[in-house]
Amino acid sequence: MYYLHRVDPAVPIEETIGAMADLAAAGKIKHLGLSECNSEQMERASSVHTITALQLEWSLWWREPEDDVIPAARRLGVSVVPYSPLGRGFLTGQALPETFTAGDFRGGDPRFSGSARQRNLEVMAELQSLASELQITPPQLALCWLLARGKDVVPIPGTRHGQRLAENALAADIQVSQANLERIDALAGRGEWSGDRSFAAIHTKRRDV
């Protein structure tokens, strides 16, 4: 899989995908993927070459892709690869600004600070309570919810610890009932969280450091 991780606004996406398609024709790569694109860009890219996967931020606490991008991917037969499926660590119940090391870009994410943080902690407490009731961990609950979105969804949670890796992998074998999935949606629906993702601003800051 060879990803275009960011669409260059100065270059038509057809041109970029055309160059990637040449690599595929030469046998140097097998599949083409996109990352962080909108539905129009995905449509245009797919007109040049088959796009196998779309990588984007998608989790219980960031669901805007469900409005437009996810439906477009499914219409085009593109699998969805959610990164930060644990909400940049927030859905583990352990990632808070006071635990961040110097330079951690999450320190600039509005969802982790001020009144948004307080509201999000309240929602997270409800999810932790439900996870405890179901005898699973909060990360497993978040991953189970995402995996239940469809067989074309392949989350890629990150971790630095082997124990967490094993814990996350077990989520693929956990069956959460439809009733409990609906409870998760009710507790942590889109309108329950506070703060904006501010993706571009955060990553502009990272480049300037």
PDB file of all heavy atoms in Angstrom, residues 148-183:
ATOM      1  N   ALA A 148     -17.543  -2.286  14.503  1.00  0.00           N
ATOM      2  CA  ALA A 148     -18.945  -2.587  14.203  1.00  0.00           C
ATOM      3  C   ALA A 148     -19.510  -1.693  13.113  1.00  0.00           C
ATOM      4  O   ALA A 148     -20.621  -1.938  12.635  1.00  0.00           O
ATOM      5  CB  ALA A 148     -19.794  -2.452  15.460  1.00  0.00           C
ATOM      6  N   ARG A 149     -18.748  -0.668  12.715  1.00  0.00           N
ATOM      7  CA  ARG A 149     -19.231   0.221  11.638  1.00  0.00           C
ATOM      8  C   ARG A 149     -19.246  -0.487  10.295  1.00  0.00           C
ATOM      9  O   ARG A 149     -19.902  -0.025   9.364  1.00  0.00           O
ATOM     10  CB  ARG A 149     -18.351   1.474  11.515  1.00  0.00           C
ATOM     11  CG  ARG A 149     -18.242   2.371  12.745  1.00  0.00           C
ATOM     12  CD  ARG A 149     -19.582   2.853  13.233  1.00  0.00           C
ATOM     13  NE  ARG A 149     -20.077   1.989  14.293  1.00  0.00           N
ATOM     14  CZ  ARG A 149     -21.290   2.051  14.817  1.00  0.00           C
ATOM     15  NH1 ARG A 149     -22.167   2.917  14.356  1.00  0.00           N
ATOM     16  NH2 ARG A 149     -21.643   1.238  15.786  1.00  0.00           N
ATOM     17  N   GLY A 150     -18.504  -1.576  10.143  1.00  0.00           N
ATOM     18  CA  GLY A 150     -18.519  -2.305   8.879  1.00  0.00           C
ATOM     19  C   GLY A 150     -17.273  -3.134   8.673  1.00  0.00           C
ATOM     20  O   GLY A 150     -16.219  -2.868   9.276  1.00  0.00           O
ATOM     21  N   LYS A 151     -17.367  -4.133   7.834  1.00  0.00           N
ATOM     22  CA  LYS A 151     -16.222  -5.000   7.556  1.00  0.00           C
ATOM     23  C   LYS A 151     -15.146  -4.296   6.740  1.00  0.00           C
ATOM     24  O   LYS A 151     -14.024  -4.805   6.612  1.00  0.00           O
ATOM     25  CB  LYS A 151     -16.691  -6.264   6.828  1.00  0.00           C
ATOM     26  CG  LYS A 151     -17.554  -7.167   7.702  1.00  0.00           C
ATOM     27  CD  LYS A 151     -17.940  -8.445   6.976  1.00  0.00           C
ATOM     28  CE  LYS A 151     -18.762  -9.364   7.876  1.00  0.00           C
ATOM     29  NZ  LYS A 151     -19.145 -10.616   7.191  1.00  0.00           N
ATOM     30  N   ASP A 152     -15.485  -3.139   6.185  1.00  0.00           N
ATOM     31  CA  ASP A 152     -14.505  -2.375   5.413  1.00  0.00           C
ATOM     32  C   ASP A 152     -13.712  -1.413   6.280  1.00  0.00           C
ATOM     33  O   ASP A 152     -12.946  -0.596   5.775  1.00  0.00           O
ATOM     34  CB  ASP A 152     -15.207  -1.593   4.305  1.00  0.00           C
ATOM     35  CG  ASP A 152     -16.291  -0.653   4.828  1.00  0.00           C
ATOM     36  OD1 ASP A 152     -16.689  -0.793   5.999  1.00  0.00           O
ATOM     37  OD2 ASP A 152     -16.746   0.212   4.048  1.00  0.00           O
ATOM     38  N   VAL A 153     -13.872  -1.499   7.597  1.00  0.00           N
ATOM     39  CA  VAL A 153     -13.195  -0.598   8.532  1.00  0.00           C
ATOM     40  C   VAL A 153     -12.036  -1.327   9.209  1.00  0.00           C
ATOM     41  O   VAL A 153     -12.237  -2.367   9.835  1.00  0.00           O
ATOM     42  CB  VAL A 153     -14.180  -0.064   9.592  1.00  0.00           C
ATOM     43  CG1 VAL A 153     -13.462   0.851  10.575  1.00  0.00           C
ATOM     44  CG2 VAL A 153     -15.336   0.675   8.925  1.00  0.00           C
ATOM     45  N   VAL A 154     -10.835  -0.772   9.079  1.00  0.00           N
ATOM     46  CA  VAL A 154      -9.635  -1.396   9.637  1.00  0.00           C
ATOM     47  C   VAL A 154      -8.894  -0.354  10.482  1.00  0.00           C
ATOM     48  O   VAL A 154      -8.046   0.381   9.987  1.00  0.00           O
ATOM     49  CB  VAL A 154      -8.702  -1.924   8.528  1.00  0.00           C
ATOM     50  CG1 VAL A 154      -7.516  -2.682   9.140  1.00  0.00           C
ATOM     51  CG2 VAL A 154      -9.462  -2.806   7.554  1.00  0.00           C
ATOM     52  N   PRO A 155      -9.223  -0.255  11.768  1.00  0.00           N
ATOM     53  CA  PRO A 155      -8.574   0.743  12.621  1.00  0.00           C
ATOM     54  C   PRO A 155      -7.100   0.424  12.837  1.00  0.00           C
ATOM     55  O   PRO A 155      -6.698  -0.747  12.831  1.00  0.00           O
ATOM     56  CB  PRO A 155      -9.341   0.641  13.947  1.00  0.00           C
ATOM     57  CG  PRO A 155     -10.547  -0.182  13.662  1.00  0.00           C
ATOM     58  CD  PRO A 155     -10.213  -1.052  12.511  1.00  0.00           C
ATOM     59  N   ILE A 156      -6.305   1.468  13.052  1.00  0.00           N
ATOM     60  CA  ILE A 156      -4.876   1.268  13.318  1.00  0.00           C
ATOM     61  C   ILE A 156      -4.486   2.023  14.601  1.00  0.00           C
ATOM     62  O   ILE A 156      -3.883   3.093  14.558  1.00  0.00           O
ATOM     63  CB  ILE A 156      -3.997   1.708  12.127  1.00  0.00           C
ATOM     64  CG1 ILE A 156      -4.413   3.089  11.602  1.00  0.00           C
ATOM     65  CG2 ILE A 156      -4.069   0.682  11.004  1.00  0.00           C
ATOM     66  CD1 ILE A 156      -3.456   3.649  10.551  1.00  0.00           C
ATOM     67  N   PRO A 157      -4.828   1.451  15.762  1.00  0.00           N
ATOM     68  CA  PRO A 157      -4.445   2.091  17.017  1.00  0.00           C
ATOM     69  C   PRO A 157      -2.939   2.021  17.229  1.00  0.00           C
ATOM     70  O   PRO A 157      -2.309   1.011  16.932  1.00  0.00           O
ATOM     71  CB  PRO A 157      -5.193   1.265  18.075  1.00  0.00           C
ATOM     72  CG  PRO A 157      -5.358  -0.084  17.447  1.00  0.00           C
ATOM     73  CD  PRO A 157      -5.530   0.173  15.978  1.00  0.00           C
ATOM     74  N   GLY A 158      -2.390   3.095  17.744  1.00  0.00           N
ATOM     75  CA  GLY A 158      -0.958   3.116  18.017  1.00  0.00           C
ATOM     76  C   GLY A 158      -0.689   2.900  19.498  1.00  0.00           C
ATOM     77  O   GLY A 158      -1.514   3.228  20.353  1.00  0.00           O
ATOM     78  N   THR A 159       0.452   2.348  19.816  1.00  0.00           N
ATOM     79  CA  THR A 159       0.836   2.160  21.212  1.00  0.00           C
ATOM     80  C   THR A 159       2.339   1.973  21.298  1.00  0.00           C
ATOM     81  O   THR A 159       2.988   1.589  20.317  1.00  0.00           O
ATOM     82  CB  THR A 159       0.134   0.941  21.836  1.00  0.00           C
ATOM     83  OG1 THR A 159       0.503   0.844  23.207  1.00  0.00           O
ATOM     84  CG2 THR A 159       0.510  -0.354  21.121  1.00  0.00           C
ATOM     85  N   ARG A 160       2.869   2.244  22.477  1.00  0.00           N
ATOM     86  CA  ARG A 160       4.297   2.003  22.728  1.00  0.00           C
ATOM     87  C   ARG A 160       4.520   0.769  23.590  1.00  0.00           C
ATOM     88  O   ARG A 160       5.655   0.431  23.904  1.00  0.00           O
ATOM     89  CB  ARG A 160       4.915   3.215  23.431  1.00  0.00           C
ATOM     90  CG  ARG A 160       4.936   4.488  22.604  1.00  0.00           C
ATOM     91  CD  ARG A 160       5.702   5.585  23.348  1.00  0.00           C
ATOM     92  NE  ARG A 160       5.799   6.797  22.559  1.00  0.00           N
ATOM     93  CZ  ARG A 160       4.925   7.802  22.631  1.00  0.00           C
ATOM     94  NH1 ARG A 160       3.897   7.718  23.461  1.00  0.00           N
ATOM     95  NH2 ARG A 160       5.074   8.883  21.904  1.00  0.00           N
ATOM     96  N   HIS A 161       3.440   0.109  23.993  1.00  0.00           N
ATOM     97  CA  HIS A 161       3.551  -0.983  24.947  1.00  0.00           C
ATOM     98  C   HIS A 161       2.940  -2.271  24.408  1.00  0.00           C
ATOM     99  O   HIS A 161       1.823  -2.278  23.886  1.00  0.00           O
ATOM    100  CB  HIS A 161       2.870  -0.595  26.259  1.00  0.00           C
ATOM    101  CG  HIS A 161       3.351   0.703  26.818  1.00  0.00           C
ATOM    102  ND1 HIS A 161       4.594   0.840  27.408  1.00  0.00           N
ATOM    103  CD2 HIS A 161       2.774   1.931  26.858  1.00  0.00           C
ATOM    104  CE1 HIS A 161       4.759   2.098  27.793  1.00  0.00           C
ATOM    105  NE2 HIS A 161       3.673   2.780  27.481  1.00  0.00           N
ATOM    106  N   GLY A 162       3.676  -3.373  24.576  1.00  0.00           N
ATOM    107  CA  GLY A 162       3.214  -4.663  24.094  1.00  0.00           C
ATOM    108  C   GLY A 162       1.910  -5.100  24.731  1.00  0.00           C
ATOM    109  O   GLY A 162       1.049  -5.696  24.075  1.00  0.00           O
ATOM    110  N   GLN A 163       1.757  -4.796  26.007  1.00  0.00           N
ATOM    111  CA  GLN A 163       0.524  -5.175  26.701  1.00  0.00           C
ATOM    112  C   GLN A 163      -0.689  -4.483  26.069  1.00  0.00           C
ATOM    113  O   GLN A 163      -1.745  -5.090  25.899  1.00  0.00           O
ATOM    114  CB  GLN A 163       0.630  -4.803  28.181  1.00  0.00           C
ATOM    115  CG  GLN A 163      -0.631  -5.135  28.980  1.00  0.00           C
ATOM    116  CD  GLN A 163      -0.531  -4.675  30.424  1.00  0.00           C
ATOM    117  OE1 GLN A 163       0.532  -4.264  30.887  1.00  0.00           O
ATOM    118  NE2 GLN A 163      -1.644  -4.741  31.137  1.00  0.00           N
ATOM    119  N   ARG A 164      -0.529  -3.209  25.735  1.00  0.00           N
ATOM    120  CA  ARG A 164      -1.626  -2.471  25.095  1.00  0.00           C
ATOM    121  C   ARG A 164      -1.905  -2.997  23.693  1.00  0.00           C
ATOM    122  O   ARG A 164      -3.044  -3.049  23.250  1.00  0.00           O
ATOM    123  CB  ARG A 164      -1.288  -0.989  25.034  1.00  0.00           C
ATOM    124  CG  ARG A 164      -1.075  -0.338  26.378  1.00  0.00           C
ATOM    125  CD  ARG A 164      -2.293  -0.459  27.264  1.00  0.00           C
ATOM    126  NE  ARG A 164      -2.086   0.163  28.551  1.00  0.00           N
ATOM    127  CZ  ARG A 164      -2.679  -0.216  29.666  1.00  0.00           C
ATOM    128  NH1 ARG A 164      -3.516  -1.247  29.660  1.00  0.00           N
ATOM    129  NH2 ARG A 164      -2.442   0.412  30.795  1.00  0.00           N
ATOM    130  N   LEU A 165      -0.859  -3.392  23.011  1.00  0.00           N
ATOM    131  CA  LEU A 165      -1.021  -3.959  21.673  1.00  0.00           C
ATOM    132  C   LEU A 165      -1.886  -5.213  21.734  1.00  0.00           C
ATOM    133  O   LEU A 165      -2.828  -5.375  20.945  1.00  0.00           O
ATOM    134  CB  LEU A 165       0.356  -4.286  21.074  1.00  0.00           C
ATOM    135  CG  LEU A 165       0.357  -4.910  19.678  1.00  0.00           C
ATOM    136  CD1 LEU A 165      -0.203  -3.949  18.647  1.00  0.00           C
ATOM    137  CD2 LEU A 165       1.783  -5.328  19.296  1.00  0.00           C
ATOM    138  N   ALA A 166      -1.587  -6.090  22.679  1.00  0.00           N
ATOM    139  CA  ALA A 166      -2.361  -7.322  22.832  1.00  0.00           C
ATOM    140  C   ALA A 166      -3.801  -7.004  23.235  1.00  0.00           C
ATOM    141  O   ALA A 166      -4.753  -7.614  22.728  1.00  0.00           O
ATOM    142  CB  ALA A 166      -1.702  -8.218  23.881  1.00  0.00           C
ATOM    143  N   GLU A 167      -3.963  -6.050  24.138  1.00  0.00           N
ATOM    144  CA  GLU A 167      -5.295  -5.646  24.592  1.00  0.00           C
ATOM    145  C   GLU A 167      -6.135  -5.109  23.424  1.00  0.00           C
ATOM    146  O   GLU A 167      -7.296  -5.468  23.262  1.00  0.00           O
ATOM    147  CB  GLU A 167      -5.139  -4.572  25.661  1.00  0.00           C
ATOM    148  CG  GLU A 167      -6.429  -3.982  26.179  1.00  0.00           C
ATOM    149  CD  GLU A 167      -6.159  -2.835  27.139  1.00  0.00           C
ATOM    150  OE1 GLU A 167      -5.319  -2.987  28.036  1.00  0.00           O
ATOM    151  OE2 GLU A 167      -6.799  -1.776  26.977  1.00  0.00           O
ATOM    152  N   ASN A 168      -5.512  -4.259  22.610  1.00  0.00           N
ATOM    153  CA  ASN A 168      -6.225  -3.698  21.460  1.00  0.00           C
ATOM    154  C   ASN A 168      -6.603  -4.782  20.451  1.00  0.00           C
ATOM    155  O   ASN A 168      -7.709  -4.769  19.892  1.00  0.00           O
ATOM    156  CB  ASN A 168      -5.364  -2.634  20.777  1.00  0.00           C
ATOM    157  CG  ASN A 168      -5.167  -1.400  21.621  1.00  0.00           C
ATOM    158  OD1 ASN A 168      -5.944  -1.132  22.541  1.00  0.00           O
ATOM    159  ND2 ASN A 168      -4.134  -0.632  21.331  1.00  0.00           N
ATOM    160  N   ALA A 169      -5.685  -5.721  20.224  1.00  0.00           N
ATOM    161  CA  ALA A 169      -5.948  -6.779  19.246  1.00  0.00           C
ATOM    162  C   ALA A 169      -7.129  -7.645  19.661  1.00  0.00           C
ATOM    163  O   ALA A 169      -7.893  -8.128  18.814  1.00  0.00           O
ATOM    164  CB  ALA A 169      -4.694  -7.637  19.065  1.00  0.00           C
ATOM    165  N   LEU A 170      -7.310  -7.828  20.956  1.00  0.00           N
ATOM    166  CA  LEU A 170      -8.415  -8.652  21.453  1.00  0.00           C
ATOM    167  C   LEU A 170      -9.778  -8.061  21.099  1.00  0.00           C
ATOM    168  O   LEU A 170     -10.781  -8.778  21.078  1.00  0.00           O
ATOM    169  CB  LEU A 170      -8.305  -8.827  22.970  1.00  0.00           C
ATOM    170  CG  LEU A 170      -7.222  -9.793  23.458  1.00  0.00           C
ATOM    171  CD1 LEU A 170      -7.115  -9.737  24.978  1.00  0.00           C
ATOM    172  CD2 LEU A 170      -7.512 -11.214  22.997  1.00  0.00           C
ATOM    173  N   ALA A 171      -9.816  -6.760  20.833  1.00  0.00           N
ATOM    174  CA  ALA A 171     -11.094  -6.123  20.494  1.00  0.00           C
ATOM    175  C   ALA A 171     -11.722  -6.751  19.258  1.00  0.00           C
ATOM    176  O   ALA A 171     -12.949  -6.767  19.117  1.00  0.00           O
ATOM    177  CB  ALA A 171     -10.895  -4.626  20.280  1.00  0.00           C
ATOM    178  N   ALA A 172     -10.897  -7.292  18.376  1.00  0.00           N
ATOM    179  CA  ALA A 172     -11.424  -7.910  17.151  1.00  0.00           C
ATOM    180  C   ALA A 172     -12.239  -9.158  17.443  1.00  0.00           C
ATOM    181  O   ALA A 172     -13.051  -9.585  16.613  1.00  0.00           O
ATOM    182  CB  ALA A 172     -10.275  -8.245  16.203  1.00  0.00           C
ATOM    183  N   ASP A 173     -12.039  -9.748  18.624  1.00  0.00           N
ATOM    184  CA  ASP A 173     -12.751 -10.980  18.980  1.00  0.00           C
ATOM    185  C   ASP A 173     -13.895 -10.748  19.957  1.00  0.00           C
ATOM    186  O   ASP A 173     -14.555 -11.695  20.379  1.00  0.00           O
ATOM    187  CB  ASP A 173     -11.771 -11.988  19.595  1.00  0.00           C
ATOM    188  CG  ASP A 173     -10.691 -12.419  18.617  1.00  0.00           C
ATOM    189  OD1 ASP A 173     -11.018 -12.580  17.428  1.00  0.00           O
ATOM    190  OD2 ASP A 173      -9.532 -12.556  19.043  1.00  0.00           O
ATOM    191  N   ILE A 174     -14.115  -9.495  20.336  1.00  0.00           N
ATOM    192  CA  ILE A 174     -15.175  -9.172  21.299  1.00  0.00           C
ATOM    193  C   ILE A 174     -16.458  -8.824  20.549  1.00  0.00           C
ATOM    194  O   ILE A 174     -16.448  -7.977  19.647  1.00  0.00           O
ATOM    195  CB  ILE A 174     -14.758  -8.004  22.204  1.00  0.00           C
ATOM    196  CG1 ILE A 174     -13.534  -8.397  23.041  1.00  0.00           C
ATOM    197  CG2 ILE A 174     -15.911  -7.581  23.113  1.00  0.00           C
ATOM    198  CD1 ILE A 174     -12.926  -7.243  23.814  1.00  0.00           C
ATOM    199  N   GLN A 175     -17.525  -9.485  20.910  1.00  0.00           N
ATOM    200  CA  GLN A 175     -18.819  -9.218  20.292  1.00  0.00           C
ATOM    201  C   GLN A 175     -19.653  -8.333  21.222  1.00  0.00           C
ATOM    202  O   GLN A 175     -19.975  -8.732  22.336  1.00  0.00           O
ATOM    203  CB  GLN A 175     -19.554 -10.538  20.017  1.00  0.00           C
ATOM    204  CG  GLN A 175     -18.841 -11.465  19.048  1.00  0.00           C
ATOM    205  CD  GLN A 175     -18.715 -10.861  17.661  1.00  0.00           C
ATOM    206  OE1 GLN A 175     -19.653 -10.254  17.139  1.00  0.00           O
ATOM    207  NE2 GLN A 175     -17.550 -11.013  17.056  1.00  0.00           N
ATOM    208  N   VAL A 176     -19.951  -7.138  20.761  1.00  0.00           N
ATOM    209  CA  VAL A 176     -20.790  -6.219  21.526  1.00  0.00           C
ATOM    210  C   VAL A 176     -22.177  -6.220  20.890  1.00  0.00           C
ATOM    211  O   VAL A 176     -22.312  -6.063  19.671  1.00  0.00           O
ATOM    212  CB  VAL A 176     -20.200  -4.793  21.530  1.00  0.00           C
ATOM    213  CG1 VAL A 176     -21.122  -3.827  22.264  1.00  0.00           C
ATOM    214  CG2 VAL A 176     -18.820  -4.802  22.183  1.00  0.00           C
ATOM    215  N   SER A 177     -23.196  -6.433  21.697  1.00  0.00           N
ATOM    216  CA  SER A 177     -24.562  -6.520  21.163  1.00  0.00           C
ATOM    217  C   SER A 177     -24.998  -5.201  20.545  1.00  0.00           C
ATOM    218  O   SER A 177     -24.473  -4.132  20.881  1.00  0.00           O
ATOM    219  CB  SER A 177     -25.538  -6.897  22.280  1.00  0.00           C
ATOM    220  OG  SER A 177     -25.680  -5.818  23.181  1.00  0.00           O
ATOM    221  N   GLN A 178     -25.970  -5.282  19.658  1.00  0.00           N
ATOM    222  CA  GLN A 178     -26.504  -4.083  19.034  1.00  0.00           C
ATOM    223  C   GLN A 178     -27.069  -3.132  20.081  1.00  0.00           C
ATOM    224  O   GLN A 178     -26.915  -1.912  19.984  1.00  0.00           O
ATOM    225  CB  GLN A 178     -27.590  -4.444  18.019  1.00  0.00           C
ATOM    226  CG  GLN A 178     -28.161  -3.259  17.253  1.00  0.00           C
ATOM    227  CD  GLN A 178     -27.101  -2.518  16.461  1.00  0.00           C
ATOM    228  OE1 GLN A 178     -26.199  -3.114  15.874  1.00  0.00           O
ATOM    229  NE2 GLN A 178     -27.199  -1.193  16.427  1.00  0.00           N
ATOM    230  N   ALA A 179     -27.692  -3.696  21.099  1.00  0.00           N
ATOM    231  CA  ALA A 179     -28.250  -2.867  22.165  1.00  0.00           C
ATOM    232  C   ALA A 179     -27.156  -2.074  22.871  1.00  0.00           C
ATOM    233  O   ALA A 179     -27.328  -0.884  23.181  1.00  0.00           O
ATOM    234  CB  ALA A 179     -29.007  -3.731  23.164  1.00  0.00           C
ATOM    235  N   ASN A 180     -26.017  -2.712  23.117  1.00  0.00           N
ATOM    236  CA  ASN A 180     -24.929  -2.007  23.791  1.00  0.00           C
ATOM    237  C   ASN A 180     -24.228  -1.030  22.855  1.00  0.00           C
ATOM    238  O   ASN A 180     -23.731   0.014  23.308  1.00  0.00           O
ATOM    239  CB  ASN A 180     -23.932  -3.005  24.375  1.00  0.00           C
ATOM    240  CG  ASN A 180     -24.438  -3.614  25.667  1.00  0.00           C
ATOM    241  OD1 ASN A 180     -25.100  -2.949  26.467  1.00  0.00           O
ATOM    242  ND2 ASN A 180     -24.155  -4.895  25.885  1.00  0.00           N
ATOM    243  N   LEU A 181     -24.166  -1.329  21.569  1.00  0.00           N
ATOM    244  CA  LEU A 181     -23.630  -0.359  20.612  1.00  0.00           C
ATOM    245  C   LEU A 181     -24.491   0.902  20.599  1.00  0.00           C
ATOM    246  O   LEU A 181     -23.978   2.020  20.525  1.00  0.00           O
ATOM    247  CB  LEU A 181     -23.570  -0.969  19.207  1.00  0.00           C
ATOM    248  CG  LEU A 181     -22.515  -2.060  18.989  1.00  0.00           C
ATOM    249  CD1 LEU A 181     -22.713  -2.726  17.639  1.00  0.00           C
ATOM    250  CD2 LEU A 181     -21.100  -1.475  19.086  1.00  0.00           C
ATOM    251  N   GLU A 182     -25.800   0.701  20.712  1.00  0.00           N
ATOM    252  CA  GLU A 182     -26.707   1.841  20.761  1.00  0.00           C
ATOM    253  C   GLU A 182     -26.524   2.625  22.060  1.00  0.00           C
ATOM    254  O   GLU A 182     -26.646   3.860  22.081  1.00  0.00           O
ATOM    255  CB  GLU A 182     -28.149   1.364  20.604  1.00  0.00           C
ATOM    256  CG  GLU A 182     -28.447   0.847  19.203  1.00  0.00           C
ATOM    257  CD  GLU A 182     -29.808   0.187  19.083  1.00  0.00           C
ATOM    258  OE1 GLU A 182     -30.552   0.186  20.092  1.00  0.00           O
ATOM    259  OE2 GLU A 182     -30.124  -0.324  17.989  1.00  0.00           O
ATOM    260  N   ARG A 183     -26.204   1.932  23.139  1.00  0.00           N
ATOM    261  CA  ARG A 183     -25.924   2.620  24.405  1.00  0.00           C
ATOM    262  C   ARG A 183     -24.661   3.468  24.279  1.00  0.00           C
ATOM    263  O   ARG A 183     -24.611   4.597  24.784  1.00  0.00           O
ATOM    264  CB  ARG A 183     -25.751   1.596  25.528  1.00  0.00           C
ATOM    265  CG  ARG A 183     -27.028   0.886  25.942  1.00  0.00           C
ATOM    266  CD  ARG A 183     -26.731  -0.180  26.980  1.00  0.00           C
ATOM    267  NE  ARG A 183     -26.293   0.403  28.254  1.00  0.00           N
ATOM    268  CZ  ARG A 183     -25.783  -0.314  29.250  1.00  0.00           C
ATOM    269  NH1 ARG A 183     -25.624  -1.630  29.118  1.00  0.00           N
ATOM    270  NH2 ARG A 183     -25.414   0.273  30.374  1.00  0.00           N
TER     271      ARG A 183
END
